[in-house]
Amino acid sequence: MNKKIIFAILIAFGAFAGGCQNKQDNTDKKTETKDVAPKASLSVSTVKPQQTLLHKTINANGNVAAWQESSISAETNGLLLREVLVNIGDQVKRGQVLARFAAATIETDIAQMQANIAEAQAMLTEASSNANRARSIQDSGALSKQQIEQYITAEATAKARLNASQANLNAQNIRLKQTAVLAPDDGIISQNPATVGTVYAAGQELFRLIRKGRIEWRADLTSADISQIKTGMKARITLPDGSSTHGKVRTIAPSVDAKTRNAVVFVDMPAGSAKIGMFARGDFVIGETNSLTLPNSAIVMRDGFAYVMQVESNHKIKQTKVQLGQRKDDRVEILNLAATDANFVESGGAFLADGDSVRVISK
């Protein structure tokens, strides 16, 4: 009887001990589960914001145009264009012959005028002789006063005819010179509508010339920005193919367009650096400033906004919306960065989200 009682007590004690052990094991497992750190989703390298010297600029758009473009036209009327000696893009010098008109008709007219002058000269000689004889005998009474006046008048008429003939000859000589179309200045031929064999009227355009080969960028600036631009200020101009060149402000328009409220700034460009009519973007350097920047690879664009991925002390990501400023080489200005000494994901931020855990790799 006693043995049965002892055996039952031993079985109950064993069951109690087993239950306590199982409870302890479960508690240890729960504790262990709580202590396990979340698994990192990505290994990243970090970078801190840097102070970078940036140029303070004003951006503008505009067209490339000729500094001055001369229109070269026919000076004579009704002549046939015989030859054209230049093409578009040719560089020419002041006084260089660009084209020639047929001069045969003018040369014929000149020969006729020369004959008229010879005839007028002979008539003047005869009239002068008659007038001189009349004057010498006017006191003798051999000729009436009326006859004497007729001889003197004939002499004056002959002089006038000679002068008119000489004037006509000079006019024809001028026309003969005008059959050669000359460059009014050094420059580059930008347009060449002249066609051999065409009869041109006076004033009809034959060529267009970019004077001195000078070109300029005509930048449109708002009323708010125009006051910050000064003559002589430097500008960096970006052309449609991505290349860039530099220019200098020559002058500023004295008025603002009443419709657009924009003013034009005329910027001298190096000759041959761009083509007339090109659209170009540019910026004017108005000062320098030290600004916080991050590498371009650290910027993540989402839904049209810019973000940076800040790595917090617990290795979790904090997605921060930022406003971007200027760019210099591979760095971007951050305008509203509050955590100036924080660590940010250097690259690969597009694969991360707010709250993700990362493993930081030392450089």
Side-chain angles (χ1 to χ4, degrees):
M1 182 66 181
N2 293 333
K3 289 182 179 180
K4 291 181 178 180
I5 294 173
I6 294 171
F7 183 72
I9 292 172
L10 290 175
I11 291 174
F13 180 77
F16 176 76
C20 291
Q21 182 64 39
N22 289 336
K23 184 177 182 181
Q24 181 65 34
D25 291 343
N26 292 334
T27 302
D28 292 343
K29 288 180 180 178
K30 290 179 180 178
T31 304
E32 184 179 354
T33 301
K34 291 181 180 179
D35 292 341
V36 173
K39 185 178 179 181
S41 62
L42 190 67
S43 297
V44 298
S45 57
T46 59
V47 64
K48 290 180 179 292
Q50 292 182 5
Q51 291 284 346
T52 304
L53 183 64
L54 298 176
H55 293 297
K56 189 178 179 182
T57 60
I58 294 177
N59 299 324
N61 299 323
N63 295 320
V64 178
W67 165 61
Q68 286 184 1
E69 198 169 18
S70 298
S71 177
I72 305 172
S73 305
E75 295 182 86
T76 55
N77 189 45
L79 294 182
L80 181 141
L81 188 63
R82 189 180 70 187
E83 59 180 339
V84 176
L85 304 175
V86 294
N87 294 312
I88 294 176
D90 287 353
Q91 292 190 354
V92 298
K93 299 291 185 182
R94 183 185 183 92
Q96 180 177 333
V97 178
L98 307 180
R100 286 192 178 92
F101 285 94
T105 56
I106 297 178
E107 291 171 347
T108 301
D109 290 341
I110 288 175
Q112 181 65 47
M113 295 300 171
Q114 289 172 339
N116 292 341
I117 289 175
E119 181 181 5
Q121 184 68 52
M123 294 178 64
L124 176 60
T125 301
E126 180 183 5
S128 296
S129 298
N130 292 337
N132 289 334
R133 283 194 295 269
R135 291 188 190 97
S136 64
I137 61 174
Q138 64 180 346
D139 295 333
S140 64
L143 295 174
S144 65
K145 185 177 181 181
Q146 181 179 5
Q147 289 176 319
I148 294 173
E149 288 178 352
Q150 287 177 347
Y151 285 123
I152 295 174
T153 302
E155 180 187 31
T157 302
K159 284 182 179 180
R161 286 177 179 172
L162 178 60
N163 291 334
S165 296
Q166 289 176 337
N168 289 334
L169 178 61
N170 291 337
Q172 292 301 320
N173 284 329
I174 291 174
R175 289 192 68 204
L176 182 62
K177 289 182 179 180
Q178 291 173 344
T179 57
V181 181
L182 306 180
D185 201 354
D186 298 346
I188 300 173
I189 300 296
S190 60
Q191 292 187 34
N192 179 14
T195 304
V196 172
T198 302
V199 176
Y200 285 91
Q204 195 169 350
E205 186 176 74
L206 302 174
F207 304 96
R208 283 205 176 186
L209 176 75
I210 303 173
R211 291 190 59 199
K212 309 295 184 184
R214 289 175 57 180
I215 58 175
E216 63 186 12
W217 177 48
R218 296 178 181 177
D220 289 326
L221 273 83
T222 63
S223 303
D225 291 336
I226 196 67
S227 60
Q228 302 182 64
I229 305 301
K230 307 297 180 186
T231 302
M233 187 175 287
K234 293 182 179 180
R236 182 178 60 187
I237 304 164
T238 302
L239 302 175
D241 61 358
S243 63
S244 62
T245 185
H246 290 82
K248 186 169 68 172
V249 176
R250 186 182 80 254
T251 188
I252 303 168
S255 60
V256 174
D257 188 277
K259 295 181 180 179
T260 65
R261 303 301 178 187
N262 290 341
V264 179
V265 177
F266 299 89
V267 180
D268 284 333
M269 298 176 64
S273 60
K275 302 295 184 183
I276 292 176
M278 277 185 174
F279 177 81
R281 296 181 174 87
D283 48 73
F284 298 88
V285 180
I286 61 174
E288 294 181 338
T289 182
N290 278 313
S291 301
L292 287 173
T293 63
L294 284 171
N296 185 60
S297 58
I299 310 301
V300 178
M301 300 302 298
R302 286 178 179 169
D303 300 325
F305 298 99
Y307 297 89
V308 291
M309 301 300 175
Q310 180 180 341
V311 181
E312 297 185 305
S313 58
N314 59 356
H315 289 194
K316 288 193 174 184
I317 293 297
K318 180 182 179 182
Q319 179 176 283
T320 305
K321 185 178 179 181
V322 295
Q323 184 179 354
L324 305 182
Q326 300 179 49
R327 296 178 181 268
K328 182 178 182 181
D329 299 329
D330 64 338
R331 302 195 69 83
V332 184
E333 180 185 14
I334 310 298
L335 299 177
N336 58 341
L337 190 62
T340 59
D341 196 43
N343 291 313
F344 295 90
V345 175
E346 185 174 14
S347 61
F351 300 100
L352 298 171
D354 194 44
D356 285 352
S357 296
V358 295
R359 182 167 62 90
V360 178
I361 301 174
S362 301
K363 291 185 179 180

